[in-house]
Amino acid sequence: MSASIARIRPEANEAKIVYSIGAKTAAERPITPDILGFKAHNLARMAAFGLNVPPAFVIGTGFCAHRDDVTPEIWGDALTTLEHASDLRLGDSRRPLLLSVRSGAPVSMPGMMETLLNIGLTEATLPGFVRLTGHPRLAWDAYRRLIAGFGEVVAGVDAQHFEADLDAVRNGEERSLDFVALRDVAGRHLQTFAKEAGHPFPQDAKQQLTEAIGAVFRSWSSDKAVTYRNLHGLSHDMGTAVTVQRMVFGNAGGLSGAGVGFTRNPSTGAQSPWVDFLFNAQGEDVVSGRRTAQGHDELAAVAPSLWDELVQVANALERHFGDMQDFEFTIEDGVLFMLQTRNGKRTPRAAAQIALDMLDQGLIDAETARLRTNGLDASSLALSTISTEDGKSLSPIATAASAATGVASGEIAFEEDVARRRKQAGAQVILVRRDAETRDIAALELADGLLTQHGARTSHAAVVARQLGKVCLVGCETMMIDEAARCLIIGGVSYSEGTILTLDGNSGNIYAGAASVSKNVPEELLARLNQLRNPN
């Protein structure tokens, strides 16, 4: 694949462009991440070196501050190019093109802005999509997802209304629902949308796309995005780009699924890929924090050739980008598609391990390794562990998937205000949530650890927690949360807000009460760092 630029008007500034990925003509000149955003910039780079990337177009960051200018006339030619590349057409009743609409700032801001999937499904295009794919379950699953996602992101409907619709139909795992049940869910969602939004769900595909693009641009100014930039000292003037891309479907049944992975372990730096994957799912199921995903073992067992291909892609990404990568992918009917890659967030210990190993492997030079490990010392590399004496006496009350190593003890808090009050009183705090969602960024900054009932190790909230140095356990499915009573329940025992829990991010264990903590310095790693800094 290659890429091309469509210039909007002669007086437009450099970032006011629309850029096509997957066009037949070569780019006029290199486009930088400050214009395309890092997500789209890396998407174009992956396409350029031969990875399987669905065609797309990108509306540059320069439009973010002038989003009212982003009319269909601005991106119409790029859409036509995308339709030709896909041999599909937006809104066509026979061969409908479905699209994803994603944000992408010049710097990585995991989960802080919005994504919309399955744009283009309407009452008119759904029958054609069924005929095109031969898969009615896929069509109704995509449609109900679109209504719910559009309702939440564009119309501002609380996601819990749509979750209630789903709860009324499902009995267990939603991925096992057949098309009849999903059609029922879609019908309920349409009623919920009309009731809560005050108007019907839009049945015009181009209107859907126009409103989705506007909503993604607006998400640059959302509370969680502003808070994230404030926490990390990032400029509010950068703006986000918007990427519009042909959908590929991990929820197509059979050998289909969605996943997120790191080319190396972001907590320890170990060299094997670290992947979460769900069969018969879309990517938002993994990264949203509302669903619990598993590691790659099932994928490797069911489709070893696909797993081998993914490992080869991970190696290619590291060779090309020269750093550990955080990537998203979809498998549709046994075909692997790459949707995103970026330099992965990691713990200080992982940063040192990865830099030193990449130096040994010839992927980076010594100066780069020194830059990436600058400021890392014994204190920052030390790993918190439960002391041996306590480890013998404590019995875990539950286990969860560890998204970040270390140990944290603190008082349970369910809300930001409670976490702030307890923190101001000098207490340590464990934030407990049903889902691992990035809307909790302000509360997460206050907390010492995060514990969630649902979610995956690679969900955006887990990525942010790891970056902030928080202990993070996700997907504790044996835990129930009673928000009305302000308590969590594990094994029939109730733990009220203010009760002390200990999260062991090294083992995934959860303990009632506080535990003594030891600091262990990785002497071998420290010696390698000293050798790097003082080679003579």
Side-chain angles (χ1 to χ4, degrees), residues 352-353 356 360 376-378 381 521-536:
Q353 186 74 48
L356 292 167
D360 290 346
L376 297 180
D377 55 16
L381 296 179
V521 177
E523 298 294 346
E524 181 182 351
L525 187 61
L526 197 58
R528 291 176 67 192
L529 265 183
N530 290 334
Q531 177 63 29
L532 171 68
R533 292 162 178 168
N534 305 288
N536 299 320

Side-chain angles (χ1 to χ4, degrees), residues 172-461:
E173 174 56 58
E174 69 188 84
R175 289 179 294 152
S176 65
L177 295 176
D178 62 18
F179 86 90
V180 175
L182 292 168
R183 184 174 60 190
D184 184 3
V185 174
R188 291 171 183 263
H189 281 358
L190 287 171
Q191 293 176 358
T192 296
F193 186 102
K195 176 183 176 183
E196 299 298 331
H199 59 82
F201 175 75
Q203 293 294 338
D204 179 87
K206 186 164 283 190
Q207 179 188 349
Q208 289 179 7
L209 179 56
T210 302
E211 293 190 31
I213 291 170
V216 172
F217 271 129
R218 286 196 303 274
S219 70
W220 172 255
S221 302
S222 67
D223 289 344
K224 63 181 179 180
V226 171
T227 299
Y228 184 91
R229 292 196 295 274
N230 287 337
L231 287 174
H232 295 278
L234 301 175
S235 169
H236 296 295
D237 298 327
M238 293 183 295
T240 183
V242 173
T243 300
V244 178
Q245 188 171 33
R246 176 175 68 83
M247 282 291 303
V248 287
F249 298 96
N251 55 331
L255 205 56
S256 300
V260 179
F262 290 77
T263 54
R264 304 185 187 219
N265 188 307
S267 289
T268 67
Q271 294 184 33
S272 57
W274 202 70
V275 176
D276 283 333
F277 183 78
L278 279 173
F279 277 106
N280 203 26
Q282 291 194 324
E284 284 299 294
D285 295 335
V286 181
V287 301
S288 69
R290 297 176 183 171
R291 304 290 181 266
T292 300
Q294 306 301 322
H296 68 264
D297 292 346
E298 187 178 5
L299 174 61
V302 173
S305 61
L306 276 170
W307 172 248
D308 290 344
E309 182 183 356
L310 191 65
V311 171
Q312 291 171 10
V313 166
N315 293 335
L317 290 174
E318 287 199 344
R319 289 194 302 271
H320 185 81
F321 290 97
D323 202 352
M324 184 265 280
Q325 295 295 292
D326 167 4
F327 59 90
E328 296 183 20
F329 64 98
T330 287
I331 296 172
E332 180 183 319
D333 290 331
V335 179
L336 175 64
F337 294 88
M338 299 305 296
L339 302 180
Q340 177 177 319
T341 193
R342 58 190 171 197
N343 293 343
K345 310 297 184 188
R346 66 206 76 179
T347 64
R349 188 169 186 168
Q353 186 74 48
I354 290 168
L356 292 167
D357 288 347
M358 283 191 157
L359 174 62
D360 290 346
Q361 293 168 299
L363 295 172
I364 59 175
D365 58 26
E367 181 58 27
T368 300
R370 281 191 283 269
L371 287 172
R372 290 183 184 174
T373 57
N374 185 39
L376 297 180
D377 55 16
S379 175
S380 59
L381 296 179
L383 179 66
S384 298
T385 61
I386 293 178
S387 66
T388 304
E389 184 175 335
D390 271 6
K392 291 178 180 178
S393 61
L394 290 174
S395 295
I397 58 174
T399 60
S402 174
T405 53
V407 177
S409 295
E411 299 180 9
I412 296 172
F414 294 106
E415 298 174 356
E416 179 185 344
D417 288 343
V418 175
R420 180 175 288 106
R421 288 199 304 271
R422 294 186 185 279
K423 203 70 178 177
Q424 289 172 344
Q428 292 185 302
V429 175
I430 301 297
L431 181 64
V432 178
R433 303 293 293 162
R434 179 172 285 105
D435 304 316
E437 294 182 305
T438 51
R439 65 183 175 87
D440 295 318
I441 179 68
L444 184 56
E445 168 65 13
L446 295 168
D448 298 276
L450 173 66
L451 171 64
T452 71
Q453 182 180 358
H454 307 306
R457 302 172 305 173
T458 53
S459 62
H460 288 318

Side-chain angles (χ1 to χ4, degrees), residues 105-124:
V107 297
S108 177
M109 295 174 55
M112 294 301 137
M113 292 173 289
E114 300 297 352
T115 291
L116 284 147
L117 305 179
N118 309 309
I119 294 294
L121 264 184
T122 67
E123 292 176 355

Side-chain angles (χ1 to χ4, degrees), residues 13-245:
N13 66 32
E14 286 296 291
K16 272 192 169 182
I17 64 170
V18 176
Y19 182 92
S20 292
I21 300 171
K24 294 181 180 179
T25 55
E28 296 175 10
R29 60 177 174 76
I31 303 298
T32 57
D34 63 312
I35 295 175
L36 291 187
F38 249 113
K39 187 179 296 183
H41 182 257
N42 286 350
L43 199 69
R45 290 176 68 180
M46 286 195 293
F49 73 84
L51 296 186
N52 193 16
V53 173
F57 67 84
V58 188
I59 305 171
T61 57
F63 283 107
C64 188
H66 308 280
R67 50 182 175 262
D68 290 341
D69 294 345
V70 186
T71 62
E73 289 73 28
I74 293 291
W75 42 260
D77 289 346
L79 175 61
T80 299
T81 299
L82 177 53
E83 290 174 330
H84 289 161
S86 305
D87 194 25
L88 302 166
R89 184 179 175 189
L90 183 69
D92 189 88
S93 60
R94 293 176 299 175
R95 295 184 58 80
L97 171 65
L98 303 190
L99 299 167
S100 65
V101 182
R102 304 175 188 272
S103 60
V107 297
S108 177
M109 295 174 55
M112 294 301 137
M113 292 173 289
E114 300 297 352
T115 291
L116 284 147
L117 305 179
N118 309 309
I119 294 294
L121 264 184
T122 67
E123 292 176 355
T125 62
L126 194 144
F129 186 61
V130 172
R131 288 191 295 270
L132 186 66
T133 62
H135 202 321
R137 187 198 180 279
L138 167 61
W140 286 105
D141 188 41
Y143 191 41
R144 64 96 181 176
R145 289 172 182 267
L146 168 61
I147 300 164
F150 199 93
E152 182 180 359
V153 173
V154 179
V157 178
D158 191 322
Q160 292 303 315
H161 293 298
F162 297 114
E163 285 291 310
D165 290 342
L166 194 56
D167 288 339
V169 173
R170 67 181 166 190
N171 182 17
E173 174 56 58
E174 69 188 84
R175 289 179 294 152
S176 65
L177 295 176
D178 62 18
F179 86 90
V180 175
L182 292 168
R183 184 174 60 190
D184 184 3
V185 174
R188 291 171 183 263
H189 281 358
L190 287 171
Q191 293 176 358
T192 296
F193 186 102
K195 176 183 176 183
E196 299 298 331
H199 59 82
F201 175 75
Q203 293 294 338
D204 179 87
K206 186 164 283 190
Q207 179 188 349
Q208 289 179 7
L209 179 56
T210 302
E211 293 190 31
I213 291 170
V216 172
F217 271 129
R218 286 196 303 274
S219 70
W220 172 255
S221 302
S222 67
D223 289 344
K224 63 181 179 180
V226 171
T227 299
Y228 184 91
R229 292 196 295 274
N230 287 337
L231 287 174
H232 295 278
L234 301 175
S235 169
H236 296 295
D237 298 327
M238 293 183 295
T240 183
V242 173
T243 300
V244 178
Q245 188 171 33

